Amino acid sequence: MQEKKIKLYSLTTCSYCAAIKKMLESLEVAHEFVDADLLDGEAQQNLLDELRSINPQCSFPTILIGEKVITGYKIQEIKETIGIRTEVDLLYEQLQKINEPKGYYFNQDKERTFDLLRGLLTNKDRYGYMSCPCRLASGNRETDRDIICPCAYRKPDVKEFGACYCALYVSEEWNSKKIPQQPVPERRSTGN
């Protein structure tokens, strides 16, 4: 499945580094990592020199996949570079095919979009339905009917603001920044 050498430069105190390690382990991806803060003296300096040669900012996490350098917490970009497809990738493709012909597009910030899609899948596992990841679900399908994605508020939100409440679904104008990308107010009554 995987042929590219993967090396993660990390810190033991970095939650993003830990999340990337956990993802690679859960997907059974062979990789090496080095925690810079566990090295001393010359070993640490050598590692920082090595890191600076691929990432002049010397920031964590930095991951080297083959010849490609990815800095920061970019789970989707890492998966795509490695060539791994998961349930969230399939959901993305399925929902894209259904919604784009209706004029609803995914937010072009792929990391945000995939985080939101993972939230939908988490809610599906918890409740049996994909409730909005940005709202608290009750666990009662009937009570939550209005927030099952796409929620009942998507159409008016995208029409008025160019994006739904969580900015998973947006208009073409919103993605191209032809309209302001502003927070969308909550339309759902607090009584739900």
Side-chain angles (χ1 to χ4, degrees):
M1 172 187 217
Q2 164 202 338
E3 296 179 23
K4 299 173 184 171
K5 182 179 177 187
I6 299 171
K7 183 171 185 178
L8 173 64
Y9 298 83
S10 62
L11 299 171
T12 60
T13 55
C14 169
S15 62
Y16 293 138
C17 300
I20 291 171
K21 286 178 196 174
K22 183 177 178 180
M23 179 202 66
L24 293 171
E25 289 166 8
S26 71
L27 295 173
E28 299 179 356
V29 173
H31 66 285
E32 99 179 64
F33 70 89
V34 61
D35 292 319
D37 56 333
L38 295 181
L39 301 175
D40 291 319
E42 188 177 336
Q44 187 179 71
Q45 189 55 53
N46 290 340
L47 177 76
L48 294 176
D49 290 343
E50 179 183 319
L51 177 55
R52 235 179 244 101
S53 74
I54 61 167
N55 174 6
Q57 299 209 313
C58 204
S59 58
F60 300 92
T62 295
I63 188 165
L64 181 62
I65 304 170
E67 299 296 316
K68 182 168 183 173
V69 177
I70 301 172
T71 59
Y73 184 67
K74 298 177 182 160
I75 294 291
Q76 194 58 32
E77 186 176 350
I78 292 167
K79 284 177 30 194
E80 288 173 3
T81 302
I82 294 170
I84 290 178
R85 294 178 44 76
T86 61
E87 184 180 12
V88 73
D89 298 291
L90 301 176
L91 180 62
Y92 177 88
E93 291 167 3
Q94 177 188 23
L95 293 177
Q96 187 177 41
K97 285 178 190 174
I98 293 168
N99 290 289
E100 279 191 5
K102 297 175 185 176
Y104 299 105
Y105 300 86
F106 281 130
N107 186 325
Q108 67 184 357
D109 179 343
K110 228 171 180 184
E111 293 298 327
R112 177 180 174 90
T113 295
F114 276 83
D115 281 345
L116 290 166
L117 291 173
R118 283 191 228 12
L120 287 176
L121 291 172
T122 296
N123 284 343
K124 182 180 177 186
D125 288 343
R126 280 185 188 152
Y127 309 118
Y129 50 91
M130 292 191 295
S131 64
C132 177
C134 297
R135 293 180 169 107
L136 179 61
S138 69
N140 178 306
R141 182 184 267 286
E142 187 58 31
T143 302
D144 294 338
R145 185 174 31 168
D146 63 324
I147 61 168
I148 294 174
C149 191
C151 73
Y153 314 103
R154 178 181 75 170
K155 185 176 182 177
D157 285 349
V158 172
K159 183 177 182 181
E160 185 175 346
F161 299 99
C164 69
Y165 180 67
C166 62
L168 173 63
Y169 290 108
V170 301
S171 66
E172 283 184 295
E173 295 79 16
W174 191 93
N175 259 342
S176 63
K177 299 184 180 173
K178 291 180 181 173
I179 61 173
Q181 294 184 352
Q182 58 188 343
V184 176
E186 175 64 272
R187 291 181 190 266
R188 191 176 201 220
S189 128
T190 57
N192 288 359

